[in-house]
Amino acid sequence: MERFKPLWHIVVMVTLPLAILLLSSNLVLRVSETYIYHFNDSQVTLYTGVDVSGSQFASSITDYFNRIGGEDFQVYEQNGTFMDPLFEENESRMMSEAKRTMTTEFFAGLLLLGIGVFVYILLMRRGDVKSLRKTGFVALVLGMGFLVTQIIAMNNPGFREWLYDTFIGVELNENSLIALLLSDPFQKSYLLFATILGTAFMVIYGYIHHYITQEKRIFS
């Protein structure tokens, strides 16, 4: 254990902030508030040409992302006595790939969190509190750096295109409804919510870390 102690500190330093980044960015895509804010801010639903509100789209998207298994993504518009599907097959497939990617990201975040917490507790029990305190605060700074990097990267059209091609890769039609709803400037709403949640997680982590690693004084 002593021989690999620097490695364990690096594990804590990297896994905890990376877990916070992955989980915060994932969770904001699973709540309807992110999409409602985007639809209200961009007014994009006014240009869809369908009689479906932004809140209905938001509810359908998050219900699909949070559902375990189930049918393909689809939203229906009332047309007299009929319900017309709004999304084409390739759009449903795109949402399926997005859901698969989000599920992978979520469990990767949980795995990193579990590893980080396990090693953190291990170092605490070994009595390496002083070094761990420094490591924990380096992790905090690194985590804030991750959030800033995410803001810069996601505001780059080329990076967003690379992400889509790499993790989803479904070619959409030029007049795609899902592309209209979730393309630029959706990333601005996503980044707003992800940064707020990620910062909140960092603050909570920082407080807990400070509390449990602070030097205990007999007289205070």
Side-chain angles (χ1 to χ4, degrees):
M1 176 69 184
E2 293 297 320
R3 181 181 178 183
F4 296 102
K5 187 181 291 185
L7 177 62
W8 300 132
H9 282 276
I10 293 173
V11 168
V12 171
M13 198 183 300
V14 174
T15 56
L16 290 180
L18 191 55
I20 290 175
L21 177 72
L22 292 178
L23 292 175
S24 60
S25 63
N26 190 278
L27 292 174
V28 297
L29 293 175
R30 297 178 181 275
V31 295
S32 60
E33 286 77 10
T34 304
Y35 302 93
I36 291 174
Y37 179 88
H38 163 62
F39 295 146
N40 289 340
D41 184 58
S42 65
Q43 297 292 299
V44 68
T45 52
L46 297 179
Y47 306 102
T48 60
V50 298
D51 188 22
V52 178
S53 68
S55 60
Q56 288 175 293
F57 277 125
S59 178
S60 297
I61 291 170
T62 54
D63 285 349
Y64 175 72
F65 283 152
N66 293 319
R67 187 189 312 142
I68 299 175
E71 56 190 30
D72 292 340
F73 174 75
Q74 190 56 263
V75 177
Y76 296 90
E77 179 186 26
Q78 187 76 44
N79 181 12
T81 58
F82 300 97
M83 298 293 290
D84 293 338
L86 297 180
F87 295 103
E88 298 178 359
E89 187 275 336
N90 60 340
E91 293 174 302
S92 295
R93 186 154 43 89
M94 171 268 192
M95 290 295 283
S96 176
E97 289 299 313
K99 181 177 180 177
R100 180 188 58 79
T101 300
M102 286 173 57
T103 301
T104 302
E105 180 190 40
F106 180 73
F107 284 108
L110 288 181
L111 178 62
L112 288 172
L113 182 62
I115 293 172
V117 170
F118 174 78
V119 176
Y120 187 102
I121 294 173
L122 192 63
L123 290 172
M124 282 285 294
R125 290 184 173 178
R126 292 279 180 171
D128 198 20
V129 179
K130 189 173 182 180
S131 297
L132 181 60
R133 183 172 176 82
K134 294 179 182 178
T135 296
F137 284 122
V138 171
L140 189 62
V141 173
L142 190 60
M144 297 307 295
F146 284 164
L147 292 178
V148 172
T149 302
Q150 178 177 240
I151 293 172
I152 296 172
M154 290 301 294
N155 275 308
N156 184 304
F159 181 76
R160 294 198 305 273
E161 183 177 350
W162 175 82
L163 275 183
Y164 182 87
D165 291 342
T166 301
F167 294 103
I168 299 178
V170 177
E171 186 173 349
L172 298 174
N173 299 330
E174 187 176 336
N175 60 345
S176 166
L177 176 58
I178 198 68
L180 174 64
L181 291 172
L182 298 181
S183 60
D184 188 13
F186 174 70
Q187 78 279 357
K188 298 183 186 301
S189 300
Y190 159 77
L191 285 171
L192 174 64
F193 282 81
T195 303
I196 291 173
L197 184 60
T199 302
F201 284 164
M202 291 292 179
V203 170
I204 293 170
Y205 158 70
Y207 174 80
I208 294 173
H209 173 69
H210 170 72
Y211 179 78
I212 65 180
T213 61
Q214 64 182 335
E215 185 179 352
K216 301 298 187 295
R217 294 183 173 86
I218 299 176
F219 302 103
S220 58

